[in-house]
Amino acid sequence: MIRRLTLTLALLLGAALPACVLAQDTASAPASAPPGTAPETTPPASEAENASLELVRKGDDGQERRIRIVRTGTSDETGIFTICGRQDDEPEDAPSLAVFSETGPGGVRITIDKNVIRVPLALVTQRQGENGEGGDGRVEASAGTARFLDEVPPGKTDRLSRCAVEATPKPTPDTVLVTQGKTELKGKQLVYDESDGIARIDGPISFTRPSEDGALTGTSERIEVNVDEEQTVLVGNVVLNSKGGRVSKAARVEYDDQANTARLIGTPEQPAESVQGGDVLRAQELLYDLDRNEVVARAGEGGTITGTFQDGEESGSSPGSGTATPAPVTPPPATPAPPAP
């Protein structure tokens, strides 16, 4: 698999420098600004004037998929943006480290696939390869702050300290804010790595999707956003609570707010389950229509569909009360009748 990195002009300029530099997409930082000193800036006329970068990932299918990171604020009082490049005594392939921090209401905005993620602090590590190109790097984002230091702290040897920058991540529940369409999710910490192209948001995860008839709410242990597959998955003890008292559970849920669907995926040992009143539907896979509050059961290869309904009878393929409907199950081949004597 070949993956390349394309960055905005701001990062391309900064990554080649040996020490801490400041960058804006409009190159508003004065050339004479010394390392560790925030430049004077004017309020931006558009988002393009904010500090930003793009990581571009090329997958096996040859398609480019972008991760965009923007510091929404411009005031020195609410945050910083800086790139700490390779130091003189480090190897040629030493990575650059970009720091985004913003305590204002817009925070640092990270866009991954259909998800817009807002955090106070993001650190982006990227190693340069041949011809100045490299992988799509690593992103670590959470609550926390960053600031410029007046001087390099004595005895400190880490990259940021040598650039006179201090970053203090503080992973905290409900501080990583994810928006996908109408759905809002909250987590504790985001980590994206180029090794597998998956952004993992640690939980506990809580989310809500408002509607006129009542909100869909739920929880999970974490979120995984697969950049190559353009897929968002809730992982680990996923529970969905919806209007009408329906409670649905699964080990994994592929979530797509735009398509208004949640695909609940179970295991042979722990099938996906949807319960409403006295109706219980279990299958290896349940397809949940988020707008209509309807569930369709699908049996995987060798799997089964079971249900318990309000009349007390169990069924392998019987529909529930109009909102939990198993998909048709292919009957076994008929046994031929014995030949006439």
Side-chain angles (χ1 to χ4, degrees):
M1 179 184 296
I2 299 176
R3 302 186 179 93
R4 299 299 182 199
L5 178 70
T6 302
L7 303 179
T8 58
L9 177 62
L11 187 55
L12 285 172
L13 290 174
L17 297 178
C20 173
V21 297
L22 302 174
Q24 296 275 338
D25 279 353
T26 55
S28 60
S32 60
T37 302
E40 294 183 1
T41 60
T42 57
S46 67
E47 175 187 309
E49 296 183 8
N50 290 4
S52 66
L53 65 83
E54 281 189 341
L55 304 176
V56 179
R57 181 179 179 84
K58 289 187 177 180
D60 290 337
D61 58 2
Q63 297 295 315
E64 292 186 349
R65 297 173 177 88
R66 299 172 184 270
I67 298 174
R68 181 168 175 78
I69 306 170
V70 178
R71 181 194 168 203
T72 61
T74 58
S75 169
D76 298 340
E77 296 179 357
T78 60
I80 68 170
F81 166 58
T82 188
I83 298 170
C84 185
R86 181 181 68 84
Q87 305 294 292
D88 290 337
D89 58 350
E90 292 181 325
E92 290 293 331
D93 62 347
S96 62
L97 180 57
V99 180
F100 292 78
S101 74
E102 178 58 49
T103 59
V108 176
R109 186 168 64 246
I110 305 172
T111 304
I112 306 178
D113 190 32
K114 309 176 188 68
N115 304 284
V116 179
I117 302 161
R118 181 160 50 94
V119 293
L121 176 67
L123 307 178
V124 183
T125 305
Q126 190 268 329
R127 187 179 300 277
Q128 296 295 322
E130 297 180 0
N131 302 319
E133 296 181 336
D136 36 317
R138 180 179 176 88
V139 181
E140 300 173 75
S142 68
T145 58
R147 65 188 182 99
F148 295 114
L149 303 174
D150 294 334
E151 59 184 16
V152 176
K156 292 285 188 177
T157 59
D158 64 280
R159 171 68 68 79
L160 288 182
S161 293
R162 295 180 68 182
C163 290
V165 176
E166 179 184 76
T168 310
K170 295 181 179 179
T172 307
D174 298 336
T175 55
V176 177
L177 308 179
V178 185
T179 301
Q180 184 186 129
K182 296 187 294 184
T183 304
E184 296 182 352
L185 308 95
K186 297 179 181 180
K188 181 173 68 174
Q189 180 181 28
L190 177 148
V191 176
Y192 169 83
D193 195 86
E194 64 184 350
S195 61
D196 58 9
I198 296 178
R200 294 174 172 85
I201 302 173
D202 293 335
I205 302 297
S206 61
F207 66 90
T208 182
R209 185 180 194 264
S211 71
E212 295 180 357
D213 298 328
L216 170 72
T217 61
T219 57
S220 69
E221 294 178 359
R222 66 182 185 275
I223 303 170
E224 294 183 358
V225 182
N226 189 316
V227 175
D228 293 335
E229 300 295 333
E230 298 180 329
Q231 187 177 80
T232 299
V233 183
L234 306 172
V235 180
N237 296 316
V238 187
V239 179
L240 306 178
N241 301 283
S242 62
K243 57 187 178 182
R246 179 180 300 283
V247 179
S248 303
K249 300 179 181 180
R252 298 171 61 87
V253 173
E254 295 177 0
Y255 195 89
D256 191 334
D257 183 276
Q258 185 175 0
N260 299 320
T261 60
R263 181 169 170 254
L264 285 72
I265 304 169
T267 64
E269 298 78 17
Q270 186 180 1
E273 176 184 274
S274 186
V275 179
Q276 186 173 33
D279 295 344
V280 181
L281 186 63
R282 297 185 182 91
Q284 188 170 339
E285 179 183 325
L286 298 175
L287 184 62
Y288 192 170
D289 187 313
L290 301 177
D291 279 347
R292 300 173 62 185
N293 193 30
E294 294 182 355
V295 178
V296 176
R298 296 177 177 177
E301 183 177 353
T304 60
I305 298 174
T306 63
T308 302
F309 306 103
Q310 290 182 352
D311 60 6
E313 296 181 359
E314 291 192 359
S315 172
S317 60
S318 299
S321 56
T323 58
T325 306
V329 179
T330 304
T335 303

